[in-house]
């Protein structure tokens, strides 16, 4: 949150609080004001009620006194005619009677105009005189219209209580003015004023218009004796306010602000007033108001406190957010300043953060990355760059593998990016279940390391591995060959006469020459082989994974060596000039016995030295026995070539019989009629012929000879129905013109194609199934038939059997030999027979030597038999004689 947003929040908060406080204040004020007005109105009503009651009471009291005093005049008229005839005793008696009617007064007296006591309702001994307040007598007597007049209160000499006098002037019949006076204790009038209610709060007065207070009852003093009014006279008030209604003014006695109500009495100038000080009127309201105010204040304070707390909290939050924002900004800065690519994933493996460097390292992710993006999507994008041409399924597998590895981060891995960069990726789980990915570009580091390694392990001139690398690799190859039971060979190559070339033409030319030699050497070996430069004019070639058979291995090594001899002997073009060179090659096999690299190298070196001493440009093996074998092989090859030229080969035929014992055909088997060694069996030369190209012309000879036989047999009794089987080698069958060759031979000789059967092996067919099927079909349509030779030793798979246009299976002799001896062979033969029956193929069992083998085969439905039990392979004329003889001997 920004600073201004934070401020706005506070302003809104306090604005709301302010409005709430103002509303609270207004409500409380209104409530209090209304309450106050109500209290005042109630007070006014009370004051009015009270004043009205006092008015009625006082009027009644004064009227009763007035009536009593006035009635004495009538009594006097009836009793006395004038001053002279005044009978004080009689009048006193009358007065006593009258006074008894009014309980309020103490006594009634008659005074003359001087104030002398004439008569009284109390005995003369008790009352000698009546001491009226000063001026009262004169005021009473001087009235124009005689009426009741009330004195100021004063202390009674008689009863020592406060009293006031009520008087009314009288006249005797003779006109003598008298004054009838009644003494009334203040207390009696007070109880009239208070109407027995004893309400202390209301101040009650009995006063004259002009401002003399006659009686006053104060809330605090009760019926005390206030002497003066604390407020202006009523006539003054009347000038200001309407006395018919209550008005707000100082209370009549205490002078406190009060609601005042005055009522005039029946007698002129006399008033009763009631004042309720506002302080008292508002007592109840004030108590309530205090509660309300207290509540309101509490609420207000709570609101303010809440505001304060909210402000403090907000400030603290704001501060915390600022601190967090600052530290995040700092982190961002740090992360962006990192030289490493950085990415943070959350617990769901979605992107939480990454830096600029990360995008620079993986430019193809630009535009893809987004906060919250599942990392799987990153992989899905990356895979298009890492495996551009791959299948969709491979891409999916890649993504899945990456995801799986990411779920279980295992420290650091190195990625080679499509743009050639090498990135070290470190993945670490975070405590919250997420992942931190750090990518470090180590391209330069690796390049430097590679360069250092190159300097240490490669020859600077030719770029070939140097001696150190050679020893290392050769050591590994030796150990590997020994472990795997295979063989390898080291060819030690030394250039002949290089020193002379170097000395005469200069080092530069020598260097260029060496470079060309290196290139030729590399071109002469397979990808898995190693070419190294030992220094000077010495090179070494390591051939790995040669056949396990030592002679075979040596032959292959020799063939490579010869290729090298041939390549290096070709002319060199250096600086526009042609040069010639040759080399000496020493060879040593490894893997036969435990040996170190240095030992093997030494042997090859020794062999090379031997070549050098024989004037170079040749190859020699270190192992003498090996050398003998090699030499023999070489001689055999040469001899075979010569034998072909000299037509020393011939065919023997081995008959094949049906179940019933009829001869059905024969297999043609080659023999070599050697001038010195006699008849050589094919096992001794077919392999050699197959290794080189010799097998092709040899196979061609067999095929031609077989076709000639078939052609000759046509129309001959006992021979014309026979088929002839010819073995075909892989290399021969693979010749592109094989089909044409067979068809040509058939055509040239005129042999019936359907009598010719070609024997192929499983491994031959499987070497290139498509090519095999195509060739077999082409020949099959011309009538040539096919048998699968040595069946059971290879894959024996139904899947391809059904696709081949086969006529026969030949159960391999190894199974037939052990029939009845090895249970497993019984089962294999039974299975082959069952399988062939299902595929409607004929089965020939070869190598049948015993009757038991024959019986077993017959019992399980074998169609044809070939073996020593019936006949050995025999020369052609012998065979033909056998067939054309009248009776064929049957075993
Ligand atoms: P193969 O095709 O399996 O020929 C059958 C071999 O078993 C023949 O040996 C045959 O003399 C021998 N044999 C026949 N019946 C019996 C028997 O009852 N017991 C025993 N122990 N052996 C029996 P051979 O003639 O020495 O031929 C050996 C192999 O040389 C042949 O095996 C074939 O693979 C190859 N071969 C022979 N002639 C030719 C040929 O003209 N061209 C090609 N490419 N290979 C040939
Ligand atoms: Ca055969
Ligand atoms: Ca065979």
């Amino acid at each position: 949150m920004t600073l201004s947003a934070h401020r706005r929040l506070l302003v809104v908060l306090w604005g709301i609080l302010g409005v709430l406080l103002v509303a609270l204040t207004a409500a409380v004020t209104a409530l209090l004001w209304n309450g106050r007005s109500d209290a005042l109105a109630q007070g006014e009503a009370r004051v009015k009620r009270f004043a009205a009651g006092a008015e009625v009471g006082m009027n009644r009291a004064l009227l009763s006194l007035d009536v009593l005093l006035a009635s004495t005049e009538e009594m006097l008229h009836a009793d006395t005619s004038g001053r002279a005839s005044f009978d004080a005793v009689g009048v006193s008696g009358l007065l006593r009677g009258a006074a008894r009617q009014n309980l309020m007064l103490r006594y009634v007296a008659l005074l003359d105009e001087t104030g002398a006591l004439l008569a009284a309702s109390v005995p003369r001994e008790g009352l000698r005189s009546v001491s009226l307040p000063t001026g009262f007598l004169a005021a009473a007597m001087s009235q124009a219209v005689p009426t009741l007049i009330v004195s100021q209160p004063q202390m009674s000499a008689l009863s020592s209580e406060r009293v006031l006098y009520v008087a009314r002037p009288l006249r005797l019949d003779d006109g003598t003015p008298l004054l009838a006076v009644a003494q009334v204790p203040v207390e009696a009038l007070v109880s009239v004023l208070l109407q027995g209610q004893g309400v202390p709060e209301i101040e009650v007065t009995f006063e004259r218009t002009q401002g003399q207070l006659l009686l006053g009852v104060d809330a605090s003093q009760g019926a005390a004796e206030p002497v003066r009014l604390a407020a202006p006279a009523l006539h003054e008030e009347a000038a200001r306010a309407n006395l018919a209604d209550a008005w707000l003014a100082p209370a009549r006695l205490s002078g406190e602000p009060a609601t005042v109500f005055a009522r005039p009495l029946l007698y002129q100038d006399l008033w009763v007033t009631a004042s309720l000080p506002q302080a008292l009127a508002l007592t109840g309201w004030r108590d309530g108001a205090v509660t309300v105010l207290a509540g309101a204040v509490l609420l207000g304070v709570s609101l303010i406190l809440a505001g304060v707390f909210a402000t403090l909290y907000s400030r603290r939050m704001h501060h915390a957010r600022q601190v967090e924002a600052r530290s995040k900004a700092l982190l961002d800065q740090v992360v962006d300043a990192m030289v490493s690519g950085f990415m943070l994933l959350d617990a769901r493996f979605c992107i939480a953060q990454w830096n600029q460097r990360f995008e620079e390292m993986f430019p193809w992710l630009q535009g893809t990355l987004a906060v919250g993006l599942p990392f799987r999507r990153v992989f899905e994008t990356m895979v298009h760059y890492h495996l551009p041409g791959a299948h969709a399924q491979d891409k999916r597998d890649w993504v899945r593998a990456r995801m799986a590895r990411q779920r279980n981060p295992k420290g650091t891995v190195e990625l080679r990016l499509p743009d050639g960069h090498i990135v070290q990726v470190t993945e670490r789980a975070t405590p919250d279940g997420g992942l931190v990915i750090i990518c470090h570009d180590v391209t330069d580091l690796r390049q430097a390391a590679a360069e250092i390694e190159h300097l240490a392990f490669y020859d600077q001139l030719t770029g070939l591995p140097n001696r150190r690398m050679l020893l290392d690799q050769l050591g590994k190859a030796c150990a590997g060959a020994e472990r795997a039971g295979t063989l390898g060979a080291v060819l030690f190559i030394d250039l002949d006469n290089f020193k002379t070339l170097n000395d005469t033409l200069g080092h530069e030319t020598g260097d260029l020459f060496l470079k060309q030699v290196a290139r030729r050497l590399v071109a002469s070996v397979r990808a898995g082989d190693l070419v190294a430069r030992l220094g000077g004019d010495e090179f070494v070639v390591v051939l790995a994974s040669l056949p396990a058979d030592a002679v075979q291995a040596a032959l292959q090594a020799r063939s490579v060596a010869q290729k090298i001899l041939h390549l290096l002997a070709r002319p060199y073009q250096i600086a526009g000039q042609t040069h010639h060179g040759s080399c000496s090659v020493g060879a040593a096999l490894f893997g036969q016995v435990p040996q170190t690299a240095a030992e093997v190298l030494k042997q090859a070196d020794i062999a090379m030295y031997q070549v050098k001493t024989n004037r170079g440009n040749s190859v020699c093996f270190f192992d003498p026995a090996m050398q003998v074998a090699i030499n023999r092989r070489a001689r055999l090859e040469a001899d075979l070539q010569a034998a072909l030229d000299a037509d020393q080969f011939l065919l023997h035929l081995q008959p094949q019989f049906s179940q019933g014992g009829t001869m059905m055909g024969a297999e043609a088997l080659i023999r070599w009629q050697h001038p010195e060694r006699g008849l050589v069996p094919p096992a001794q030369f077919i392999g050699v012929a197959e290794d080189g190209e010799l097998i092709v012309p040899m196979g061609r000879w067999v095929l031609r000879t077989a076709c000639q036989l078939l052609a000759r047999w046509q129309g001959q009794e006992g021979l014309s129905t026979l088929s002839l089987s010819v073995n075909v080698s892989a290399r021969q069958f693979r010749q592109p013109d094989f089909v044409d060759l067979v068809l040509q031979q058939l055509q040239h000789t005129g042999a019936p194609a359907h009598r010719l059967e070609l024997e192929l092996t499983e491994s031959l067919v499987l070497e290139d199934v498509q090519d095999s099927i195509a060739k077999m079909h082409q020949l099959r349509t011309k009538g040539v038939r096919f048998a699968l030779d040595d069946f059971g030793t290879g894959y024996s798979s139904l899947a391809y059997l059904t696709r081949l246009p086969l006529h026969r299976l030949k159960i391999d002799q190894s199974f037939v030999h052990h029939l009845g001896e090895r249970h497993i062979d019984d089962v294999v033969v039974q299975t082959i027979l069952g399988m062939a029956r299902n595929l409607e193929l004929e089965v020939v069992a070869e190598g049948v030597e015993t009757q038991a083998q024959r019986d077993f085969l017959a019992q399980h439905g074998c169609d044809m038999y070939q073996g020593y039990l019936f006949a050995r392979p025999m020369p052609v004329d012998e065979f033909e004689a056998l067939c054309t003889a009248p009776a064929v001997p049957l075993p």
Side-chain angles (χ1 to χ4, degrees):
M1 195 189 283
T2 61
L3 189 66
S4 67
H6 171 67
R7 288 232 170 96
R8 262 205 304 283
L9 182 79
L10 284 186
V11 166
V12 169
L13 174 73
W14 282 104
I16 292 173
L17 273 179
V19 169
L20 281 176
L21 283 173
V22 167
L24 180 69
T25 311
V28 167
T29 308
L31 189 70
L32 291 182
W33 186 256
N34 283 344
R36 186 172 185 279
S37 304
D38 283 355
L40 288 178
Q42 277 172 22
E44 185 181 321
R46 260 171 71 198
V47 165
K48 280 183 170 174
R49 253 197 330 272
F50 199 86
E55 178 200 351
V56 171
M58 283 305 279
N59 272 341
R60 193 177 291 149
L62 291 178
L63 199 61
S64 70
L65 289 170
D66 195 14
V67 167
L68 187 127
L69 293 178
S71 69
T72 47
E73 192 174 32
E74 268 152 53
M75 283 177 344
L76 288 176
H77 284 305
D79 194 56
T80 320
S81 49
R83 175 75 172 98
S85 60
F86 189 82
D87 171 12
V89 178
V91 171
S92 292
L94 286 172
L95 286 178
R96 217 172 6 258
R100 237 180 260 132
Q101 293 165 27
N102 195 318
L103 294 172
M104 251 188 327
L105 46 76
R106 284 277 177 264
Y107 61 83
V108 186
L110 280 177
L111 308 180
D112 66 9
E113 57 191 327
T114 64
L117 178 67
L118 298 180
S121 61
V122 289
R124 191 133 198 127
E125 316 74 75
L127 182 74
R128 296 254 173 246
S129 65
V130 176
S131 49
L132 293 171
T134 326
F136 180 69
L137 181 70
M141 297 299 280
S142 63
Q143 291 182 94
V145 181
T147 176
L148 188 78
I149 181 170
V150 182
S151 80
Q152 296 283 112
Q154 66 172 39
M155 291 303 286
S156 160
L158 195 68
S159 59
S160 306
E161 59 182 347
R162 275 169 55 81
V163 295
L164 53 75
Y165 297 92
V166 181
R168 185 181 177 88
L170 304 178
R171 260 175 211 285
L172 292 177
D173 286 346
D174 59 357
T176 312
L178 294 179
L179 189 67
V181 179
Q183 189 196 43
V184 182
V186 162
E187 206 170 307
L189 279 178
V190 163
S191 61
V192 170
L193 273 178
L194 292 182
Q195 306 147 62
Q197 285 186 24
V199 176
E201 292 134 7
I202 295 182
E203 292 175 17
V204 200
T205 61
F206 175 43
E207 57 186 283
R208 291 209 180 85
T209 316
Q210 302 302 318
Q212 291 98 345
L213 176 68
L214 299 176
L215 274 180
V217 183
D218 189 341
S220 56
Q221 301 162 344
E225 299 128 80
V227 188
R228 248 176 291 114
L229 285 170
L234 286 172
H235 71 273
E236 285 173 25
E237 291 286 14
R240 275 188 280 158
N242 176 15
L243 291 191
D245 213 337
W247 74 98
L248 287 177
R252 307 292 305 156
L253 295 176
S254 61
E256 305 282 327
T259 307
V260 182
F261 191 51
R263 298 293 298 166
L265 295 184
L266 288 172
Y267 297 90
Q268 209 186 344
D269 273 356
L270 290 179
W271 292 74
V272 288
T273 72
S275 312
L276 178 61
Q278 282 186 356
L280 292 171
L282 294 176
T283 309
W285 165 79
R286 203 174 288 121
D287 290 348
V290 166
T291 314
V292 169
L293 268 179
V297 166
L298 207 65
L299 192 59
V301 168
S302 310
L303 281 175
I304 290 169
L305 279 179
V308 169
F309 278 130
T311 307
L312 286 178
Y313 179 72
S314 162
R315 238 185 237 148
R316 184 164 295 180
M317 287 302 287
H318 179 65
H319 182 69
R321 247 180 247 124
Q322 272 181 331
V323 169
E324 191 189 311
R326 267 201 296 275
S327 46
K328 182 160 172 3
L330 189 69
L331 183 70
D332 283 352
Q333 270 178 6
V334 170
V335 160
D336 265 336
M338 277 167 68
V339 275
S340 303
F342 165 88
M343 181 169 272
L344 179 67
L345 305 187
D346 63 18
R348 295 167 303 135
F349 277 56
C350 293
I351 296 175
Q353 196 182 1
W354 72 94
N355 69 356
Q356 184 66 31
R357 188 76 187 96
F358 191 91
E359 276 187 58
E360 285 166 9
M361 278 182 180
F362 305 97
W364 43 87
L365 291 179
Q366 268 168 22
T368 308
L369 300 182
V371 170
L373 185 82
F375 201 76
R376 164 180 280 277
R377 302 278 294 284
V378 172
F379 281 140
E380 284 167 356
T381 307
M382 275 175 118
V383 71
H384 298 304
Y385 293 88
H386 280 265
L387 307 174
H391 266 280
Q393 185 56 45
D394 291 345
K395 288 182 178 178
R396 273 196 294 277
D397 291 347
W398 187 88
V399 169
R400 202 169 304 130
R402 283 300 160 117
M403 291 296 293
R405 205 173 65 194
Q406 201 174 57
R407 297 274 159 190
N408 275 319
K410 290 201 178 65
T412 302
V413 290
E414 265 186 26
L415 268 186
R416 182 172 283 278
L417 301 185
D419 60 5
H421 280 84
I422 303 168
V423 172
Q424 208 173 54
V425 181
T426 307
E427 294 180 328
R428 290 213 196 297
T430 60
D432 62 353
L435 196 75
V436 173
I437 305 171
I438 306 275
C439 301
H440 203 61
D441 192 331
V442 292
T443 315
D444 293 346
L445 210 68
R446 291 289 170 270
Q447 258 167 13
E451 262 164 44
I452 289 168
E453 189 188 276
H454 202 269
L455 282 175
F457 292 105
Y458 290 86
D459 170 47
Q460 290 310 292
L461 179 67
T462 59
L464 292 177
N466 61 14
R467 172 185 286 272
R468 189 192 286 180
M469 172 94 144
L470 169 75
L471 288 172
D472 178 62
Q473 297 289 71
L474 183 56
K476 283 178 190 158
C478 287
E482 203 189 308
R483 228 184 2 255
T486 57
L487 296 178
V490 166
L491 305 180
F492 198 111
I493 301 154
D494 189 289
L495 304 180
D496 299 333
N497 309 317
F498 176 73
K499 195 171 161 355
T500 322
L501 179 134
N502 215 19
D503 290 348
T504 53
L505 299 176
H507 286 274
E508 264 178 45
T509 311
D511 284 355
L512 291 173
F513 184 76
L514 289 174
K515 279 188 183 179
Q516 288 198 21
V517 167
R519 268 203 295 279
R520 292 183 189 188
L521 283 176
V522 170
S524 65
V525 299
R526 289 175 306 181
D529 300 331
L530 178 80
V531 179
R533 181 179 175 220
L534 283 189
D537 60 349
E538 292 176 340
F539 294 86
V540 168
V541 169
V542 178
L543 305 174
S545 50
L546 294 177
D549 174 58
V551 175
Q552 291 291 334
L555 276 172
Q556 272 194 27
R558 192 191 59 158
S559 128
V560 175
Q562 280 171 340
K563 194 171 166 189
I564 288 171
L565 283 172
H566 174 71
L567 273 176
L568 295 195
R570 283 168 56 187
Y572 298 80
Q573 293 295 328
I574 298 167
Q577 282 198 299
T578 308
H579 299 274
H580 293 273
S582 65
C583 64
S584 305
V585 181
L589 291 184
F590 61 82
Q592 291 168 298
V593 289
Q595 267 171 314
T596 66
E599 284 165 0
V600 179
L601 209 57
K602 186 80 215 153
Q603 292 180 352
D605 192 5
I606 291 168
M608 187 277 296
Y609 191 72
Q610 203 160 342
V611 178
K612 272 268 169 296
T613 53
N614 292 334
R615 294 196 307 283
N617 197 19
S618 180
V619 57
C620 178
F621 272 79
F622 167 74
D623 184 353
M626 189 62 56
Q627 194 61 48
V628 170
I630 295 261
N631 291 345
R632 194 185 296 143
R633 271 299 267 259
R635 206 175 311 126
L636 185 62
E637 258 177 87
D639 286 358
L640 277 177
Q641 182 65 55
L644 252 183
D645 299 340
D647 204 9
Q648 292 176 352
F649 295 108
L650 44 94
L651 282 187
H652 278 196
L653 301 179
Q654 185 177 28
Q656 297 167 332
F657 295 91
S658 71
Q659 271 238 45
T662 316
M663 194 198 288
M664 306 300 290
E667 179 177 3
L669 296 160
I670 195 168
R671 300 290 182 265
W672 180 11
Q673 188 65 62
H674 197 274
E676 292 129 40
R677 290 160 63 190
L679 201 63
V680 183
Q684 289 182 22
F685 62 89
I686 285 289
V688 179
E690 278 177 336
D691 283 345
E693 290 286 315
L694 264 177
I695 191 70
V696 178
M698 196 185 284
R700 207 181 295 141
W701 177 85
V702 174
L703 197 63
R704 187 172 63 237
T705 313
C707 285
Q708 284 166 351
L709 279 179
L710 280 174
R712 199 168 74 201
W713 290 349
Q714 270 183 300
Q716 287 198 41
E717 174 82 31
L719 288 170
S720 61
T721 54
L722 296 179
S723 66
L724 197 54
S725 301
V726 171
N727 293 287
V728 179
S729 283
R731 197 186 283 266
Q732 191 187 352
F733 186 76
R734 289 285 160 246
Q735 294 294 311
D737 60 351
F738 178 73
V739 172
D740 293 339
L741 177 87
V742 175
L743 297 178
Q744 266 174 31
Q745 301 293 356
L746 286 171
Q747 210 181 349
H748 284 171
T749 56
H754 62 281
R755 298 280 176 220
L756 180 66
E757 183 176 86
L758 300 181
E759 294 193 0
L760 310 178
T761 58
E762 280 179 280
S763 57
L764 177 154
V765 172
L766 288 180
E767 211 177 62
D768 185 344
V769 178
Q770 291 310 321
D771 179 62
S772 306
I773 293 176
K775 284 178 173 163
M776 286 168 82
H777 269 292
Q778 285 176 45
L779 290 170
R780 185 76 197 88
T781 52
K782 303 291 178 194
V784 180
R785 296 192 293 197
F786 290 93
L788 210 52
D789 205 357
D790 304 342
F791 191 72
T793 54
Y795 300 87
S796 316
S797 141
L798 262 179
Y800 78 88
L801 275 186
T802 54
R803 294 168 59 196
L804 300 173
L806 282 176
H807 175 232
R808 276 182 188 154
L809 297 182
K810 292 188 80 173
I811 301 181
D812 191 68
Q813 0 184 330
S814 61
F815 299 107
V816 177
H817 284 171
H818 298 106
L819 278 181
E821 290 169 20
R822 280 208 312 230
H823 179 65
I824 183 76
D825 290 346
D826 297 358
V827 175
V828 169
V829 169
Q830 283 176 43
T831 309
I832 292 172
L833 288 168
M835 191 185 325
R837 201 177 305 125
N838 286 336
L839 295 170
E840 295 180 337
L841 293 174
E842 267 181 27
V843 180
V844 182
E846 64 180 5
V848 184
E849 294 181 349
T850 65
Q851 191 59 42
Q853 290 165 356
R854 191 218 132 117
D855 292 346
F856 183 95
L857 290 160
Q859 197 185 327
H860 292 96
C862 184
D863 306 294
M864 303 236 289
Y865 306 85
Q866 177 183 350
Y868 294 170
L869 176 66
F870 304 93
R872 289 192 174 243
M874 57 190 87
V876 174
D877 45 359
E878 207 172 301
F879 177 82
E880 286 176 343
L882 176 75
C883 295
T884 49
V888 178
L890 271 183

